[in-house]
Amino acid sequence: MAKNLVIVESPAKAKTIEKFLGKDFQVESSFGHIADLPSKEIGIDVEGDFMPKYIVSTDKKAVVKKLKDLAKKVDTVWLASDEDREGEAIAWHLFEQLKLKDTNTKRIVFHEITKKAILKAVENPRSIDYNLVNAQQARRVLDRLVGYELSPVLWRKIKGGLSAGRVQSVAVRLIVEREREITSFKPVASYKVVAEFSNSEGKKFKANLPKNFKTKKDAEAFLNSCIAADFKVDDLQKKPAKKSPAAPFTTSTLQQEASRKLYFPVAKTMMMAQRLYEAGLITYMRTDSVNLSDDAKINAQEEITSSYGAEYSKPRSFSNKTKGAQEAHEAIRPTDMSTHTVSVDYDQDRLYDLIWKRTLASQMSDAQLERTNVKISNSNNKTIFTANGEMIKFDGFLKVYLEGTDNEDEEQDGMLPNLTIGDLLSNENIIATERYSRPPYRYTEASLVKRLEELGIGRPSTYAPTISTIQRREYVVKGAIDGVDRDYTQIILSNDKVVSEVLTEKVGSDKGKIVPTDIGNIVNDFLVENFSNVLDFGFTAKVESEFDDIAEGKEDWIEMIKDFYKTFHPIVEDVAANAERAKGERLLGIDPDSGKNVYARLGRFGAMVQIGEATDEEKPKFASLQGDQTLTTITYEEAMDLFKLPKTIGEYEDVDVIVASGRFGPYIKFDKMFVSIPRDENPMSVDLNRAIELIKEKQEADAPIGTYEDLPIQKGVGRFGPFIKWNSMFINVNKKYDFDNLTRENLVELIEDKKRKEIEKVIHNWEEEGIRVEKARWGRFNILKGKIKIELPKTVDATKLTLEEVKGIIEKKAPKKKTTKRKTKKK
């Protein structure tokens, strides 16, 4: 029996640490938190001192029993959960629930899982930091109070099943307000003028006017004034410049950059980073510090010098701009800079590559540039064109990495030909293009994280769950907005002639951006109107600051909660008693047939249109909104069209062809087939010929392109791009494959990769519940929990089972407790 028991949160972390410690150490996992507030009651003594009531959930009792039994048999227990507040709370719960003793319990922390870091932590143990524990308790209790008190109000005033959260509601508010800015934005037109010139050697370049013209008349007048003009270089300035690298990654900047460059949702970024950390490849991934340790800087310097040369090395330190950042922590970096790449899996490999490049670049020399500014005059007027160029004299850190940008319109300066003052230039053309001012950009997951961080709302550990929660509650969605066509004018001066033409552009289209749903708008408006203090950005940031003070021992957490609740609770009671019910409806017009009102409103099952009143003797008519229709944008005409479906438009192959409308938009029903109608088509205008055309396209698309394991493989293109379908699984086909010419090897690789990812996802989710999965013979799976081992039949796909189904299987297999009947003596 080992003399030491080390307890960590995850099996993967335990497996890595076990390699670094000797036979005297046994490493076990707690599978996350072992205790939490009860799920079916508030679990806080609001009438007394606000102390929380922590319980061990049923599915964690076996884990707790195992750890408790092991703890009794060893000399020392080492609590090795993560070094943040949540990790400290896990260590405390373990201490309390396992009934450990101060005399033989040690707390160790480390920000990377390497042999050096683990052994150093064991040599320098500490006790549990109760200030960090209390900061985590304060967050948990405050969020529970807000959720438990606000949610019932939403049930009564809007609809059942809704919920509210402190940080989540503020995030929704940001998204709602941004969407309303976009909706109310009035674009203003102006004319941007760009000229193309060539020098005496015939090399072309572009220059533009610094100011736009406000009207078409002014733009035309300018172009006419330039007819037959002579152009020359009036001034030319070259200035040295430099570009410096970005700081190493924090949680927030990693999420933003992984979104921009790898197109990862923030939840995926954190999952991949967690796995890299647990495998010992990167440092702890929840941090708001940009610091690098001295060892890391030396390691980076050696790697830069050996790979690129000493002139590329420039060790540097970065300071945090984020308020409340914990400088003692480290930025996210590789644990060994000499490991340029890893071979774990496709997504983890790409994220590691991003982290490695960012860290190395942060310790590299500035890029040395030469910026050129050219001013071009003409003989006919005093207007000056300008051209800017940029030349890299020494690439420095750019050899490895350049940070991405959120600005979709940012133009990069290019190279200019050799020019000198006085050079005569040939004018190829001058084009004045009508351009409209743009509304603010919708939030991406990355830009929302950035905005929350700027406002001081939330902390590194909260961003991913916050964004996942508001999407899961369907307060916001990732939109697929098609946009509309808009005409614009272009005026061209070429060969001394000015001509004008009208062109068309698509505007307002957005894919993957976050937009509020109807229910998100209604809940937000109700909360802002009635709980303005909770939804206030300043208040939410102040709460985060108070959590920081508690963590530093500067504030008592119970007093902080009491101060909040004595103001918050009376407002909740007042709103519950006196606030009007949120109707969330618009009167669109009158139904010509019945003379009854037509509403767009929120119903029990979502947004809909309704003819008539709920109080009418005759039941109102209802129809669900479709696609990108919303309560705020649907028109009367669109609403009335929804009541015309479903309708039979004819027969094909002796089967009725029906146009109908469902949750995911309009479709054609043909026998057992459902065929989506393209978004840009009005379902009311689809006739039999068009329907047959769509049916044939669907039949052709659904035809198998091959088989695997005796199951058909189909391919298609959906909302998220090209995919193949196999065994009810939809598998995205990324750009590295030629979708039109997929080989047998491509199909097998895609399917096997998807199967492996599905299994990894299932295993990861189950491990957090104390359930393990192992591969058995002949492609089967075993489920293990405690002493229970269940072999699934080969016909059961472990990846398709829900957690509830697995728990049910375990419960049936678990040995029943014996009950003894007491005998009572007769009097």
Side-chain angles (χ1 to χ4, degrees), residues 194-208 231-236 372-376 385-389 414-420 423-429:
V194 178
E196 186 175 44
F197 298 103
S198 59
N199 65 358
S200 58
E201 296 175 355
K203 293 189 175 179
K204 297 178 181 180
F205 67 97
K206 290 185 177 181
N208 52 270
F231 291 87
K232 71 173 184 177
V233 177
D234 195 61
D235 188 27
L236 187 149
T372 304
N373 177 262
V374 180
K375 292 183 178 178
I376 300 164
F385 281 92
T386 63
N388 296 299
M415 293 286 293
L416 291 173
N418 287 326
L419 300 168
T420 57
D423 280 355
L424 292 176
L425 302 172
S426 297
N427 175 225
E428 305 293 326
N429 59 60

Side-chain angles (χ1 to χ4, degrees), residues 585 587 589-590 595-599 601 610-622:
E585 68 179 27
L587 177 62
I590 306 294
K596 294 180 179 180
N597 287 336
V598 180
Y599 299 99
R601 59 178 291 267
Q610 171 181 318
I611 297 176
E613 312 290 339
T615 54
D616 290 349
E617 186 175 336
E618 185 182 356
K619 189 178 178 181
K621 292 181 181 178
F622 304 101

Side-chain angles (χ1 to χ4, degrees), residues 388-531:
N388 296 299
E390 185 175 273
M391 186 172 72
I392 298 173
K393 308 287 280 185
F394 173 65
D395 52 3
F397 77 93
L398 293 177
K399 198 172 192 74
V400 173
Y401 179 83
L402 178 63
E403 184 179 28
T405 175
D406 287 321
N407 188 351
E408 297 172 15
D409 295 330
E410 190 170 281
E411 294 180 9
Q412 296 292 323
D413 290 334
M415 293 286 293
L416 291 173
N418 287 326
L419 300 168
T420 57
I421 295 174
D423 280 355
L424 292 176
L425 302 172
S426 297
N427 175 225
E428 305 293 326
N429 59 60
I430 302 176
I431 301 175
T433 305
E434 186 179 21
R435 284 286 170 247
Y436 290 84
S437 56
R438 288 193 170 194
Y441 291 116
R442 289 183 174 90
Y443 285 111
T444 60
E445 287 194 6
S447 60
L448 180 60
V449 165
K450 184 177 181 182
R451 185 61 181 142
L452 289 169
E453 187 179 44
E454 288 170 350
L455 292 169
I457 296 168
R459 282 295 179 263
S461 61
T462 65
Y463 298 135
T466 293
I467 292 172
S468 297
T469 298
I470 61 178
Q471 290 183 69
R472 189 176 65 251
R473 290 176 179 169
E474 297 186 346
Y475 292 157
V476 303
V477 293
K478 285 189 178 177
I481 299 167
D482 292 332
V484 295
D485 289 334
R486 179 174 66 191
D487 292 339
Y488 68 98
T489 303
Q490 198 169 68
I491 312 163
I492 303 168
L493 167 60
S494 181
N495 298 323
D496 291 335
K497 289 183 180 179
V498 175
V499 295
S500 176
E501 60 181 339
V502 176
L503 305 172
T504 302
E505 62 183 348
K506 182 81 77 176
V507 295
S509 59
D510 257 336
K511 289 187 178 179
K513 303 292 180 63
I514 305 176
V515 294
T517 61
D518 287 318
I519 190 64
N521 279 306
I522 293 167
V523 169
N524 175 75
D525 291 348
F526 181 82
L527 291 175
V528 168
E529 182 180 351
N530 295 287
F531 299 97

Side-chain angles (χ1 to χ4, degrees), residues 334-382:
T335 54
D336 180 6
M337 289 303 301
S338 66
T339 304
H340 292 210
T341 58
V342 295
S343 297
V344 186
D345 87 356
Y346 181 64
D347 289 330
Q348 288 183 59
D349 296 352
R350 290 198 297 156
L351 189 64
Y352 179 87
D353 181 65
L354 196 67
I355 295 167
W356 183 85
K357 287 178 176 176
R358 174 81 164 224
T359 308
L360 199 75
S362 75
Q363 300 301 301
M364 292 179 73
S365 303
D366 294 332
Q368 302 299 326
L369 314 171
E370 183 180 78
R371 290 202 172 116
T372 304
N373 177 262
V374 180
K375 292 183 178 178
I376 300 164
S377 60
N378 72 81
S379 58
N380 288 9
N381 56 60
K382 295 181 179 180

Side-chain angles (χ1 to χ4, degrees), residues 91-109:
W92 175 62
H93 284 309
L94 285 165
F95 185 85
E96 293 291 319
Q97 298 297 334
L98 304 185
K99 298 188 173 12
L100 302 178
K101 298 174 183 176
D102 287 319
T103 52
N104 71 335
T105 303
K106 296 180 180 181
R107 170 82 169 113
I108 55 172
V109 293

Side-chain angles (χ1 to χ4, degrees), residues 70-315:
L70 289 171
K72 291 174 183 176
K73 299 173 185 176
V74 296
D75 297 335
T76 307
V77 177
W78 304 78
L79 303 177
S81 48
D82 291 336
E83 62 174 339
D84 57 10
R85 296 169 193 173
E86 191 168 359
E88 206 70 24
I90 289 173
W92 175 62
H93 284 309
L94 285 165
F95 185 85
E96 293 291 319
Q97 298 297 334
L98 304 185
K99 298 188 173 12
L100 302 178
K101 298 174 183 176
D102 287 319
T103 52
N104 71 335
T105 303
K106 296 180 180 181
R107 170 82 169 113
I108 55 172
V109 293
F110 38 84
H111 64 271
E112 60 184 72
I113 305 177
T114 58
K115 186 171 184 177
K116 181 181 177 181
I118 300 302
L119 295 179
K120 185 178 178 181
V122 171
E123 290 169 7
N124 298 277
R126 63 168 173 81
S127 57
I128 293 171
D129 186 334
Y130 285 96
N131 289 329
L132 295 181
V133 171
N134 290 338
Q136 181 64 22
Q137 286 200 95
R139 180 186 294 279
R140 187 75 183 92
V141 168
L142 186 64
D143 288 348
R144 172 58 69 97
L145 289 171
V146 171
Y148 254 74
E149 298 233 339
L150 285 187
S151 298
V153 178
L154 298 181
W155 304 341
R156 291 173 61 183
K157 302 297 182 180
I158 302 177
K159 63 174 284 196
L162 298 177
S163 57
R166 181 180 58 87
V167 177
Q168 296 95 317
S169 297
V170 173
V172 173
R173 180 182 178 182
L174 284 170
I175 295 161
V176 167
E177 290 183 351
R178 175 60 57 86
E179 192 65 25
R180 287 176 182 168
E181 285 179 54
I182 294 167
T183 303
S184 62
F185 183 82
K186 303 296 182 190
V188 177
S190 62
Y191 284 79
K192 181 179 181 179
V193 180
V194 178
E196 186 175 44
F197 298 103
S198 59
N199 65 358
S200 58
E201 296 175 355
K203 293 189 175 179
K204 297 178 181 180
F205 67 97
K206 290 185 177 181
N208 52 270
L209 292 187
K211 284 190 176 182
N212 294 351
F213 291 106
K214 291 184 178 179
T215 65
K216 179 182 178 183
K217 182 180 177 182
D218 291 341
E220 279 183 328
F222 171 71
L223 262 62
N224 279 307
S225 75
C226 291
I227 293 174
D230 295 322
F231 291 87
K232 71 173 184 177
V233 177
D234 195 61
D235 188 27
L236 187 149
Q237 292 184 2
K238 293 184 178 181
K239 292 182 179 178
K242 69 176 183 178
K243 193 186 289 282
S244 298
F249 280 130
T250 62
T251 302
S252 166
T253 55
L254 177 64
Q255 290 171 350
Q256 292 169 49
E257 194 74 335
S259 174
R260 286 188 288 250
K261 291 193 170 180
L262 307 180
Y263 306 103
F264 283 3
V266 294
K268 180 174 181 175
T269 299
M270 294 312 292
M271 185 188 295
M272 296 300 106
Q274 175 92 30
R275 291 177 184 177
L276 289 171
Y277 165 67
E278 290 175 345
L281 295 170
I282 64 170
T283 54
Y284 192 50
M285 67 288 157
R286 291 192 181 94
T287 178
D288 47 16
S289 172
V290 291
N291 283 341
L292 290 178
S293 67
D294 291 338
D295 285 348
K297 289 178 186 175
I298 292 169
N299 192 207
Q301 185 178 14
E302 291 171 351
E303 197 55 38
I304 293 163
T305 303
S306 65
S307 297
Y308 307 108
E311 69 274 19
Y312 281 90
S313 175
K314 184 181 179 181

